[in-house]
Amino acid sequence: MVATPAQKLSLEEFLQLPETKPASEYINGGIDQKPMPQGKHSTIQGELVTTVNSVVKPKKIALAFPELRCTFGGRSIVFDIAVFAWNRIPVDEKGNIANAFKTYPDWTIEIISPEQSITKPTKNILHCLNHGTSLGWLIIPEEFNIIIYLQNQQPIYL
């Protein structure tokens, strides 16, 4: 079941739907499917997760997750990379990492796929910053650019 603009779903209804490939996101009552990652996107994503985790995981500072669904602030977003401070990683009743993350990441990284607009990922990063996220990166591989978003600051363009 996919919601049309005239047919809105609740967040709870969306979360009951089966996962899609590529992932679908819930924003403002509608469902939007992410683009299928391609070579550059996948390479950057894999290298960044490995690199970030090689630095922060051994010291239990944080943990980077690829393609993780986070549900908060009325949205359910699947981030290319979501980084959580160690003490904020959701756990289940046994103390293991939870399956459902019902909170915002501390750092979110979105990687633009070819022919993808930067508008939706930028809106997702801004949504995160408005709900507690400290840092957002928007990586544009085709232009070799990164836009860095910090809470209550102007973006930084590299």
Side-chain angles (χ1 to χ4, degrees):
M1 175 181 179
V2 176
T4 63
Q7 174 190 7
K8 299 253 183 183
L9 283 178
S10 71
L11 179 57
E12 293 75 25
E13 290 170 322
F14 170 77
L15 292 172
Q16 296 303 312
L17 297 174
E19 286 290 344
T20 60
K21 293 278 183 179
S24 293
E25 298 178 316
Y26 178 87
I27 299 170
N28 299 325
I31 298 174
D32 189 23
Q33 193 168 21
K34 291 185 74 153
M36 180 62 77
Q38 296 182 13
K40 290 176 186 175
H41 181 285
S42 293
T43 301
I44 292 168
Q45 183 178 28
E47 292 292 330
L48 272 175
V49 168
T50 300
T51 301
V52 169
N53 281 338
S54 73
V55 173
V56 299
K57 186 177 176 184
K59 297 178 183 177
K60 296 185 177 182
I61 296 168
L63 193 57
F65 298 87
E67 300 296 325
L68 180 69
R69 177 175 302 286
C70 298
T71 302
F72 62 94
R75 291 186 182 196
S76 188
I77 304 167
V78 177
F79 297 100
D80 292 329
I81 303 171
V83 182
F84 280 81
W86 198 266
N87 63 347
R88 289 197 60 253
I89 298 170
V91 294
D92 63 18
E93 63 280 347
K94 295 179 182 176
N96 298 315
I97 294 174
N99 279 327
F101 279 54
K102 296 181 181 180
T103 188
Y104 59 87
D106 294 288
W107 174 17
T108 178
I109 302 171
E110 291 287 357
I111 305 160
I112 300 300
S113 296
E115 300 172 17
Q116 179 185 14
S117 167
I118 68 168
T119 303
K120 184 180 151 238
T122 299
K123 286 180 180 180
N124 283 342
I125 291 170
L126 295 175
H127 177 78
C128 290
L129 292 172
N130 288 329
H131 285 86
T133 297
S134 300
L135 176 64
W137 281 11
L138 182 65
I139 299 174
I140 309 166
E142 296 297 325
E143 298 176 9
F144 298 97
N145 295 324
I146 299 175
I147 302 172
I148 299 171
Y149 296 87
L150 298 160
Q151 273 191 341
N152 304 315
Q153 293 187 29
Q154 291 290 325
I156 300 166
Y157 180 82
L158 304 172

